Amino acid sequence: MATRNQNLIPQQQRGAAVQKQKAVVGKGGEVKSRTALNNISNNVENVNRPITRSFGAKLLANAQTQAVAAPNKKPVTLPSDNQIAPRVPVPRPATKKQVKPVPKQNEVIDLDSESGKGTKPMSISDPRPKKREVHSLTSVLSARSKVACGISEKPNSQIDEIDLPDVNNHLCVVEYVEELYTFYKQQQHVCRPIDYMDKQRDINPKMRSILIDWILEVHHKFELMPETLYLTTYIIDRYLSLEGVARRQLQLVGMCAMLIACKYEEIWAPEVSDFIHIADNAYSREEILVMEKEILNKLEWYLTVPTAYMFLVRFVKAAKADKELEHMIYFFAELGLMQYSLIQYCPSMVAASAVYAARCTLKKSPLWTDTLERHTSYSEPQLLNCAQVLVNAHVAAPDNKLKVVHKKYMLEQFGRVACHPPAVGLIEGLKSVTPSSSS
């Protein structure tokens, strides 16, 4: 309270002085003289006023304003409540730095030393980092494989015409795809199934057809990859070529063959419980695992084999097939899986015969082209016997009890290609005119 009274007295006195200085009114109410009160910040020494918080803030603001207006002026000192105030440093006004022009790319500038001697020109390159070229994992692995095998990239003039659209697709490996299929044609004779029905006492070709028909149905229901289907058939035939099987175990062999093929080809393979359910609990989990192990040991874990599907993919490309022709080719190929008599032919011939039978059914002209003969390595006469087996299967498909393939290719998504009339007369006419060649 005492401090407040001390601060109040000078303010009242100063207020009265200000009222005296405002105006002097003469006679008639005219203003004779008027003295305005100067800025308080300019008369700090003449005003005997204690510094309060609000008043000190005003003085500081005014002092900073004046310092900005006159940067060479000394900072203002403000008294505190005890008439002694610390010196308040006034911030200097911000001055803009002179920005040196950035030299353009490849511009040569001279950097002089203090003595001005020994100047050397210096070239300034583009400071921006160059964009890093990104390579995919597939391209890196392909490049390393080529270097390891000593294979250099072929120019486009040496690439086959059917592979030119896929030059930029590293997964097609157009540089050495022909060498791959040359290797496949050599390896298809290794570990190839043989005619085994004479060695089997409890099974016959009809029972095998029933098993493959069931395998086709399970494959379609599980929506598996086509590679899985063809590998499953190979494992079944290969195992039956090496081991005798009882009638009750035939379906178990088919289940385990598909289980192995799924583990080899599929990303998400069906589990053992799925096969138990699909077989209506005919076999236990232990029986399936024991048979799976027995099959793998009998095949010596050799599963990397060129099946007919590998050749189908290449031959469909060589035929420049549209969707209808492509569906028809796969229709004949799946019909061929059920025909035990085709086991005598190698996978590449079965695939080429499926292409030939499909072109005959759709009446393509010509029936066999030079491009197909070059890529399949088979002439038209060499395919007639195998193609006739496929066409006869097409004839019997509508009335056959085993009609999973026929029903599948009667669907709209496969173009209903099974509805086309079989090319029996065309094949028989060609056989009568052209002498056939053995495989």
Side-chain angles (χ1 to χ4, degrees):
M1 290 298 293
T3 306
R4 290 183 180 179
N5 293 334
Q6 292 174 2
N7 294 338
L8 184 60
I9 293 173
Q11 291 178 359
Q12 291 177 352
Q13 293 176 357
R14 186 170 57 257
V18 170
Q19 291 296 333
K20 292 179 181 180
Q21 293 178 359
K22 273 189 177 181
V24 178
V25 181
K27 296 180 180 179
E30 296 180 356
V31 179
K32 292 184 178 180
S33 63
R34 181 182 180 89
T35 303
L37 183 64
N38 293 332
N39 194 343
I40 296 177
S41 61
N42 296 331
N43 299 280
V44 174
E45 299 177 355
N46 299 327
V47 179
N48 185 15
R49 176 183 177 183
I51 304 301
T52 60
R53 290 184 178 180
S54 59
F55 185 56
K58 291 180 181 180
L59 293 178
L60 180 60
N62 293 334
Q64 292 177 350
T65 304
Q66 290 181 1
V68 172
N72 296 327
K73 193 173 181 180
K74 295 181 179 180
V76 180
T77 58
L78 298 178
S80 62
D81 293 342
N82 299 326
Q83 300 300 325
I84 298 175
R87 296 178 63 86
V88 180
V90 179
R92 296 182 178 179
T95 58
K96 293 184 178 180
K97 297 182 179 179
Q98 295 182 356
V99 181
K100 298 182 180 180
V102 180
K104 298 181 180 180
Q105 185 177 1
N106 298 330
E107 181 182 354
V108 179
I109 61 175
D110 292 336
L111 300 179
D112 296 338
S113 60
E114 295 180 357
S115 61
K117 297 181 180 180
T119 59
K120 296 181 179 180
M122 177 180 292
S123 60
I124 305 299
S125 60
D126 190 357
R128 295 174 296 178
K130 295 182 179 180
K131 187 177 180 181
R132 183 180 179 183
E133 187 177 358
V134 180
H135 298 280
S136 63
L137 178 61
T138 303
S139 62
V140 172
L141 294 178
S142 300
R144 291 181 178 179
S145 299
K146 294 174 187 177
V147 173
C149 298
I151 300 174
S152 58
E153 294 188 2
K154 296 180 180 179
N156 291 346
S157 59
Q158 298 181 10
I159 297 175
D160 195 273
E161 58 179 356
I162 68 173
D163 296 316
L164 280 177
D166 301 320
V167 170
N168 296 324
N169 187 353
H170 294 287
L171 296 177
C172 293
V173 290
V174 297
E175 294 87 355
Y176 48 93
V177 65
E178 294 182 4
E179 288 81 356
L180 281 175
Y181 276 92
T182 301
F183 175 75
Y184 290 158
K185 289 175 183 178
Q186 295 173 355
Q187 290 297 115
Q188 66 181 340
H189 302 288
V190 180
C191 299
R192 177 179 162 187
I194 60 174
D195 188 358
Y196 54 83
M197 281 301 170
D198 295 338
K199 300 179 181 179
Q200 297 290 339
R201 297 181 179 180
D202 295 338
I203 61 175
N204 52 44
K206 185 177 180 180
M207 295 175 63
R208 178 192 177 277
S209 298
I210 295 173
L211 175 63
I212 299 301
D213 185 76
W214 180 77
I215 292 292
L216 285 163
E217 185 178 5
V218 174
H219 176 272
H220 184 62
K221 184 174 182 179
F222 283 165
E223 298 180 352
L224 301 176
M225 301 292 291
E227 294 90 342
T228 304
L229 175 63
Y230 289 86
L231 183 58
T232 300
T233 307
Y234 166 81
I235 295 174
I236 293 173
D237 289 333
R238 179 62 180 161
Y239 179 74
L240 294 179
S241 300
L242 301 173
E243 189 70 19
V245 175
R247 179 177 299 183
R248 182 186 177 276
Q249 291 182 323
L250 184 60
Q251 188 180 10
L252 179 61
V253 170
M255 289 173 53
C256 295
M258 178 167 278
L259 178 61
I260 295 170
C262 288
K263 291 180 179 180
Y264 188 87
E265 297 286 358
E266 300 291 333
I267 298 176
W268 291 284
E271 299 179 355
V272 176
S273 58
D274 298 326
F275 286 100
I276 294 175
H277 175 74
I278 206 71
D280 198 17
N281 298 317
Y283 306 98
S284 64
R285 179 182 180 86
E286 289 73 17
E287 289 179 307
I288 295 175
L289 296 179
V290 169
M291 179 58 71
E292 179 189 17
K293 183 178 179 180
E294 184 178 348
I295 292 175
L296 289 172
N297 289 333
K298 207 68 180 179
L299 270 61
E300 298 179 352
W301 296 76
Y302 187 77
L303 302 175
T304 308
V305 294
T307 62
Y309 182 77
M310 293 184 178
F311 296 102
L312 283 171
V313 174
R314 182 67 173 171
F315 297 165
V316 167
K317 190 175 183 180
K320 300 178 182 178
D322 54 9
K323 277 297 179 182
E324 184 181 31
L325 180 57
E326 183 178 352
H327 291 320
M328 183 64 76
I329 292 172
Y330 288 115
F331 168 62
F332 277 111
E334 293 184 18
L335 280 178
L337 293 176
M338 300 180 60
Q339 310 305 314
Y340 174 74
S341 59
L342 292 182
I343 201 171
Q344 61 180 315
Y345 299 104
C346 58
S348 61
M349 176 168 280
V350 175
S353 300
V355 176
Y356 182 70
R359 293 181 67 88
C360 291
T361 305
L362 297 178
K363 298 178 180 180
K364 297 291 183 178
S365 180
L367 296 177
W368 200 244
T369 64
D370 295 337
T371 303
L372 283 169
E373 184 172 350
R374 183 174 73 253
H375 287 283
T376 62
S377 303
Y378 297 111
S379 62
E380 187 175 356
Q382 291 177 302
L383 303 175
L384 288 175
N385 290 334
C386 186
Q388 187 176 18
V389 176
L390 297 176
V391 172
N392 291 338
H394 186 195
V395 174
D399 300 328
N400 196 340
K401 293 181 180 179
L402 308 176
K403 51 179 61 179
V404 172
V405 178
H406 187 265
K407 286 183 178 179
K408 175 182 176 180
Y409 286 91
M410 285 289 289
L411 299 176
E412 191 67 31
Q413 67 181 101
F414 297 105
R416 300 175 60 88
V417 294
C419 296
H420 287 273
V424 181
L426 181 60
I427 296 294
E428 291 180 353
L430 291 171
K431 284 191 66 176
S432 62
V433 174
T434 307
S436 60
S437 301
S438 60
S439 60

